[in-house]
Amino acid sequence: MTEANPEFMRMAIALASEGASTGQGGPFGAVIVKNGEIVATGNNRVTSTNDPTAHAEVVAIRAACNILQSWQLTGCELYTSCEPCPMCLGAIYWARPDRVYYASDRFDAAAIGFDDEFIYQEINCALPDRKIPTSQFMREEGLAVFKEWSEKTDKIEY
Amino acid sequence: MTEANPEFMRMAIALASEGASTGQGGPFGAVIVKNGEIVATGNNRVTSTNDPTAHAEVVAIRAACNILQSWQLTGCELYTSCEPCPMCLGAIYWARPDRVYYASDRFDAAAIGFDDEFIYQEINCALPDRKIPTSQFMREEGLAVFKEWSEKTDKIEY
């Protein structure tokens, strides 16, 4: 494991600034590094691409996985200008890089109007208390597909 | 708000089964509905597209937003064959549909080897206890970009 490298964080922050000032989306940037070399970068593009999932980390993870031709970021480090929101934290856990560094945090993001901290709160709410009403429905039929999966002999696990 | 419609959930489950049996990815499917009509569907494509973010809900949300040319799913309902993982729950909260229905849940997914429940646990871990080491770094430089954003007069908020 290497030490945090200010150069990569400075680049993530510069991407955040550039993406916001050119109207691509919110002020967020990310850089993915492997063996001291940049694999891919990303900045928030939600509003310019009509894609609510186009956060800096997700954009960078998708680009890095495409370049590495892998759904795993083993051996990589992710630098992001702000603490990952729950969506991006989930994406990170599915991509499994070795390490994550962030600069500003969810509370700083909340202070300029972003929902990151709100979503962290919602995740721990019981279903009846969620702001987006959510309910379980037809579990038995859903389980049938999981049984198929568990019996599938040629499945690729991730 | 309409009642949950078994037809849409049955379709989400069928997409899960079909996607898994054709080797596209894990056994997960999703359907997005607006005014009783299907806007877009999705199934898990993680392993076939080398995209760890290509979960059924994310695929469906990206497709629906592209069709509606909006980063918001106002007036839409999302049917998903399994409880959204934290990444997908985050994506849902950023897309803001009116309602979510799911069939099987995070514990059912854990029982067939998926990390959903593990990631829910990690989200509530303090940074030093996280399985993917994560640390804050250069917060002051990160905050400078947020200050630029808060002073930007032509920003598009989301």
Side-chain angles (χ1 to χ4, degrees), chain B residues 57-123:
Chain B
E57 298 93 322
V58 167
V59 170
I61 287 169
R62 298 181 80 224
C65 286
N66 187 47
I67 287 165
L68 298 173
Q69 285 294 294
S70 169
W71 64 85
Q72 295 291 266
L73 294 178
T74 313
C76 294
E77 298 180 338
L78 188 148
Y79 289 79
T80 174
S81 66
C82 181
E83 183 180 2
C85 78
M87 174 179 74
C88 293
L89 189 66
I92 288 164
Y93 269 82
W94 290 113
R96 306 183 181 94
D98 286 3
R99 187 160 190 112
V100 176
Y101 298 105
Y102 66 81
S104 56
D105 62 33
R106 65 178 88 170
F107 305 104
D108 300 325
I112 60 163
F114 289 97
D115 275 355
D116 306 53
E117 168 57 9
F118 163 69
I119 301 173
Y120 273 108
Q121 291 172 11
E122 285 287 296
I123 277 188

Side-chain angles (χ1 to χ4, degrees), chain A residues 48-69:
Chain A
S48 60
T49 64
N50 286 318
D51 181 357
T53 75
H55 284 201
E57 299 95 322
V58 166
V59 170
I61 287 170
R62 298 180 81 223
C65 286
N66 187 48
I67 287 165
L68 299 172
Q69 286 292 295

